[in-house]
Amino acid sequence: MVDSAGVDTAGVDSAGVDTAGVDNGGPGTLVIKERAIERVAVTAALTVPAVVRTVGGISRLTGRELPRADVSVGEHSVSINLYVSVAWPSTISDVAASVHAEVARALGAIIGLPLHRLNVVIAATTPSTAGTHHVSGQGAAPAPRPRPPTASPAALPVALVLALALLGVAFVAGREFLIARETIVGAPWIGNAVDWIAQLHWATWMIPAAAGAVIAGLLLVAIGLKPRTKTHTGAMSATSPSPMVWLRPTDVARLCSDHAGDVQGADSARTTVTKKHVTIEVRKTRDADEAAMTESVRDAVAPTLAALADTRKTRIRIRQARS
């Protein structure tokens, strides 16, 4: 199990007690959902210059945007039906060969499963808007770098409060309208409030009130301009200049713990992922060599960490397993 901060909490029970010494049947297994494989295949296909994304018109209404993938996962390989839209004019055979090569390379590097069969279906064609001929995939403009997933804006709570305040204003305005049309009977709130404000005179409490209003306004401006926090890190292939898939710190921790737990002599492993460090703590068996295990763990997690777009310092800690 991994918490929301990216800490693999395998070996710790709900009361916070370290249960790494308990025989729990091994470090567990890594399960990759078909949805994740679909996203990797679609992102890899978009790195081919002649493949374009189609999201408008009927595709937007039906949710059948292009490219899209239907994935079938076997025990040791993956089969994919990939539906793409290509720029016109393009050489279809060259586009299909490039898509096949990129998808196979991405699946092998990121997912770790070989590609058994890839059926490329040309579902649509799109005229090139840049005036570039995409023959054999040469001379095409590079694909734009995708934006990383981010957290909700910092101004979201303020926006919700203002939305509720505006709903309150709309309610008061509707009530005043009904009172003015004599549909309902009651004292007008707006008129009474205006009369009360008109009768106010200068008072010393207005100085701190004005200062508080200025401070509140500056805080709201700062919150509105605050950039969103990145919640994911990109995973890249050797041939793609942009991330192929986005991983949460939780996902990186799970992958590292899974690989480190498979090292010979490892009893259990857990990983903590921050913005600057990846800390892997491994519990070793009694007769395992600490120096050799450190190098083995480093080699086991190196391919996963090398694929990350954000460089992090790796720290490996070997501990003796509790009996």
Side-chain angles (χ1 to χ4, degrees):
M1 182 186 300
V2 183
D3 62 14
S4 59
V7 178
D8 184 1
T9 58
V12 179
D13 63 11
S14 59
V17 179
D18 190 353
T19 60
V22 179
D23 183 8
N24 56 8
T29 60
L30 176 64
V31 179
I32 302 177
K33 297 293 186 68
E34 292 184 356
R35 181 61 175 169
I37 300 177
E38 291 176 4
R39 292 183 177 179
V40 170
V42 168
T43 308
L46 287 173
T47 62
V48 178
V51 177
V52 295
R53 184 186 295 274
T54 303
V55 295
I58 298 299
S59 298
R60 183 180 293 276
L61 295 178
T62 60
R64 307 290 286 179
E65 65 180 42
L66 299 175
R68 71 176 188 272
D70 295 332
V71 174
S72 177
V73 182
E75 185 176 358
H76 301 292
S77 61
V78 179
S79 296
I80 300 176
N81 291 329
L82 186 61
Y83 302 84
V84 299
S85 175
V86 300
W88 174 270
S90 298
T91 303
I92 301 299
S93 59
D94 293 341
V95 174
S98 300
V99 169
H100 190 285
E102 290 297 328
V103 172
R105 188 177 296 110
L107 290 177
I110 297 175
I111 301 299
L113 291 176
L115 181 63
H116 174 68
R117 180 183 296 274
L118 173 62
N119 299 319
V120 181
V121 181
I122 308 300
T125 57
T126 303
S128 176
T129 57
T132 303
H133 294 277
H134 296 269
V135 179
S136 302
Q138 300 294 329
R145 186 179 180 88
R147 294 182 178 180
T150 55
S152 299
L156 180 59
V158 178
L160 293 177
V161 172
L162 291 179
L164 294 176
L166 290 176
L167 290 176
V169 170
F171 170 77
V172 173
R175 180 181 180 277
E176 295 292 317
F177 174 77
L178 294 177
I179 292 176
R181 297 293 298 270
E182 298 182 353
T183 303
I184 61 176
V185 178
W189 292 344
I190 296 179
N192 292 340
V194 171
D195 293 339
W196 176 76
I197 294 174
Q199 295 174 2
L200 288 178
H201 299 283
W202 172 255
T204 55
W205 63 265
M206 294 182 179
I207 296 179
V214 171
I215 294 175
L218 293 177
L219 288 177
L220 291 178
V221 171
I223 292 175
L225 296 178
K226 182 180 179 180
R228 296 188 181 185
T229 303
K230 294 182 180 180
T231 57
H232 293 61
T233 183
M236 305 172 65
S237 67
T239 59
S240 175
S242 60
M244 302 292 298
V245 69
W246 299 101
L247 302 173
R248 300 170 300 171
T250 296
D251 303 322
V252 178
R254 285 175 175 170
L255 290 171
C256 292
S257 295
D258 185 74
H259 293 315
D262 290 338
V263 172
Q264 185 176 2
D267 182 75
S268 64
R270 68 176 183 178
T271 304
T272 303
V273 178
T274 63
K275 294 181 179 180
K276 297 182 179 180
H277 297 91
V278 175
T279 305
I280 305 169
E281 182 175 328
V282 180
R283 296 281 181 174
K284 70 180 184 68
T285 57
R286 185 181 301 275
D287 56 347
D289 182 70
E290 181 174 340
M293 279 200 64
T294 300
E295 294 302 321
S296 298
V297 171
R298 192 179 301 276
D299 293 339
V301 301
T304 299
L305 299 180
L308 300 180
D310 301 331
T311 303
R312 290 175 171 87
K313 185 178 180 180
T314 306
R315 298 184 297 191
I316 299 175
R317 299 171 180 172
I318 307 297
R319 300 285 188 268
Q320 182 67 47
R322 297 181 179 179
S323 60

